[in-house]
Amino acid sequence: GGLQTKQYVMLHGKPIIEHTLSALLRHDKISHITVAIRSDDLEWEKVNYAGCADTVTKVTGGASRLHSVYNCLLSLQGQAHEHDWVLVHDAVRPIISLGLLDRLFAELTDHPVGGLLGVPQVDTVKKVNADLEVMSTIPRDSVWRAQTPQMFRYNVLLDALSVAIAEALPVTDESSAVELQGLRPKIVMGDVNNIKVTMPDDIFMLSSSLVRGDSLCE
């Protein structure tokens, strides 16, 4: 619910989701994007890309991120081959550079499973119990913060999400669903500026970082 509102916050005259779509479509390896939109969403049709059927396709979102991504993958059946790459990206993560995408593609090109962008954890991480008592300190040299895009072989991700939904597995991102199938996604160095809008301060920080430009339907 909350992110649904944030993706339409206006920055430089355009909603955040439009900046995100523009950033992705600037890369020559990305030719089409499928967007999961809630059935009661009345804002999407105001986004310029809503009229770009050849470039951006809308599908109905699900009850959760997991279901929404699964719906997007189902819509690609008959178009995507089993070993094709698919990228999943947060609509509210608009600062995704061509360089980051290049790095993701280069490091995963021959990988049998796929992977995701991430950044090393720099803060000390504590494990606590239900009473917020510290139980242990987690070595931070083995902890990374996940980002998007997350990039997987089409059949790997479709199968992993299908199982996660059928078995109600505790997944919080695409990688966790793949991991639960015994597979090992590769993490690729991301960028601390590739932030996800979750708080008002995030929106303020983004204002000076976004690339200005017109949305293009190609």
Side-chain angles (χ1 to χ4, degrees), residues 127-136:
K127 183 176 181 179
V128 302
N129 62 16
D131 296 321
L132 299 184
E133 297 169 334
V134 175
M135 304 301 289
S136 63

Side-chain angles (χ1 to χ4, degrees), residues 57-213:
T57 302
K58 180 186 80 169
V59 302
T60 302
S64 67
R65 171 192 174 118
L66 179 67
H67 288 82
S68 293
V69 174
Y70 186 63
N71 287 352
C72 288
L73 293 179
L74 288 179
S75 76
L76 297 175
Q77 285 186 318
Q79 303 173 54
H81 298 291
E82 62 177 17
H83 297 302
D84 284 350
W85 289 111
V86 290
L87 281 74
V88 181
H89 189 60
D90 299 316
V92 290
R93 206 182 283 270
I95 305 179
I96 180 67
S97 68
L98 293 178
L100 269 186
L101 291 170
D102 282 341
R103 185 184 303 161
L104 190 68
F105 296 148
E107 293 203 26
L108 295 181
T109 183
D110 295 322
H111 201 278
V113 176
L116 66 154
L117 290 175
V119 292
Q121 177 61 266
V122 295
D123 297 317
T124 298
V125 180
K126 303 292 186 181
K127 183 176 181 179
V128 302
N129 62 16
D131 296 321
L132 299 184
E133 297 169 334
V134 175
M135 304 301 289
S136 63
T137 299
I138 301 172
R140 65 186 178 191
D141 57 356
S142 64
V143 177
W144 287 57
R145 291 185 288 121
Q147 298 184 339
T148 67
Q150 301 198 359
M151 174 173 154
F152 293 99
R153 303 284 183 183
Y154 177 76
N155 65 318
V156 168
L157 187 55
L158 183 64
D159 291 348
L161 296 188
S162 178
V163 172
I165 290 172
E167 299 183 9
L169 299 178
V171 301
T172 54
D173 66 353
E174 293 68 47
S175 181
S176 58
V178 172
E179 294 155 31
L180 287 172
Q181 295 307 299
L183 301 173
R184 293 185 176 179
K186 181 179 180 181
I187 201 153
V188 176
M189 180 65 76
D191 190 318
V192 293
N193 293 316
N194 181 22
I195 67 171
K196 181 177 181 180
V197 177
T198 56
M199 302 290 288
D201 285 350
D202 297 332
I203 297 172
F204 180 77
M205 289 170 59
L206 283 177
S207 182
S208 61
S209 302
L210 290 171
V211 176
R212 293 174 174 82

